[in-house]
Amino acid sequence: QERYQARMTSQQPPFQVRVVPVTPFQQNCSIIRAPSGKAAVVDPGGEPEKILKAAEEFDATIEQIWLTHGHLDHAGGAEAIKRKTGAPITGPHQEDTFWLDEIADHWARYGHPGMGENCKPDKWLNDGDTLELDGIKFDVVYTPGHTPGHVVIYHKGASIAFVGDVLFAGSIGRTDFPRGDHQTLIDSITGKLWPLGDLQFVPGHGPASTFNRERQNNPFVADSITGYQGAEKNPANEMDQKLSKRWQ
């Protein structure tokens, strides 16, 4: 488990974050805890008892469940946590319905029957929506490409984003799944995430990073690859881009 302090200049940050890796894919499930102890859990992909125990140790009462997208390792534990806590499920975008409807079957195909269950959100998310946790407002951007209904949840004042499988430290999300699209994903990153400024981000897998760090060094979306904001492209990086290993 890792804790992230929201990067604020004031003494008291607006919330704390604990990251709990779950499922055989070691997916980063985030527990966002307000100062009151009320909490939202982002992407509870599985192992609900582990998540609930982590919340208890964090002195956090789960009142909301937020999903970035519908893949099995991000949404498979949502219904179980809803039953235990009564927390409603919000997100992702409705275009991921077909993924949410096949979670149990996909876990069985991976050799882990019973690891997760199909999910029916109480509310879908759209570009420009806001989420609220005990008076703390989070913003939402629609970021398709990895899946057609992917969203990113962020708090600009605290300089943190929960990006699911859009972006990783040194990589980007896969686009070889049904209705994935590489160029759409690149456009989501450069058009929706980079304009937010230099936020720290918690990815769906692996270590945290920052948007500026990825703009400098990421072999898929560095400015020298995309030409973002008029940056000069470096042809030598194109081969690195093709050879770079991606996360699940």
Side-chain angles (χ1 to χ4, degrees), residues 44 65 75-84 89 117-122:
I65 300 165
E79 291 288 351
I81 290 181
K82 178 181 177 179
R83 284 194 300 272
K84 291 282 189 177
I89 301 169
E117 58 188 288
N118 297 352
C119 176
K120 185 176 181 181
D122 296 282

Side-chain angles (χ1 to χ4, degrees), residues 41-175:
V41 60
V42 182
D43 287 354
E47 298 184 278
E49 294 302 327
K50 180 178 180 180
I51 296 169
L52 291 168
K53 182 179 179 182
E56 182 180 2
E57 293 172 350
F58 200 22
D59 194 23
T61 302
I62 296 173
E63 295 199 345
Q64 298 187 50
I65 300 165
W66 299 341
L67 302 180
T68 64
H69 64 293
H71 279 166
L72 72 170
D73 55 330
H74 289 255
E79 291 288 351
I81 290 181
K82 178 181 177 179
R83 284 194 300 272
K84 291 282 189 177
T85 65
I89 301 169
T90 304
H93 187 282
Q94 194 167 2
E95 287 295 323
D96 266 12
T97 300
F98 73 103
W99 283 116
L100 296 168
D101 288 343
E102 298 178 1
I103 289 173
D105 181 56
H106 288 163
W107 272 121
R109 292 183 192 179
Y110 275 105
H112 299 281
M115 175 66 73
E117 58 188 288
N118 297 352
C119 176
K120 185 176 181 181
D122 296 282
K123 182 181 177 181
W124 301 106
L125 287 171
N126 295 293
D127 194 61
D129 281 352
T130 58
L131 294 164
E132 188 168 326
L133 172 64
D134 198 29
I136 305 167
K137 291 185 178 181
F138 294 77
D139 292 298
V140 176
V141 285
Y142 176 46
T143 52
H146 176 64
T147 69
H150 203 299
V151 299
V152 164
I153 299 164
Y154 70 97
H155 190 292
K156 194 168 184 180
S159 297
I160 193 167
F162 303 89
V163 303
D165 283 354
V166 168
L167 181 68
F168 303 102
S171 193
I172 60 174
R174 291 175 58 173
T175 54

Side-chain angles (χ1 to χ4, degrees), residues 22-28 72-73 107 110 112 204-205 247-248:
V22 296
T23 83
F25 295 107
Q26 288 295 281
Q27 190 278 127
N28 290 329
L72 72 170
D73 55 330
W107 272 121
Y110 275 105
H112 299 281
H205 308 265
W247 289 94
Q248 290 284 345

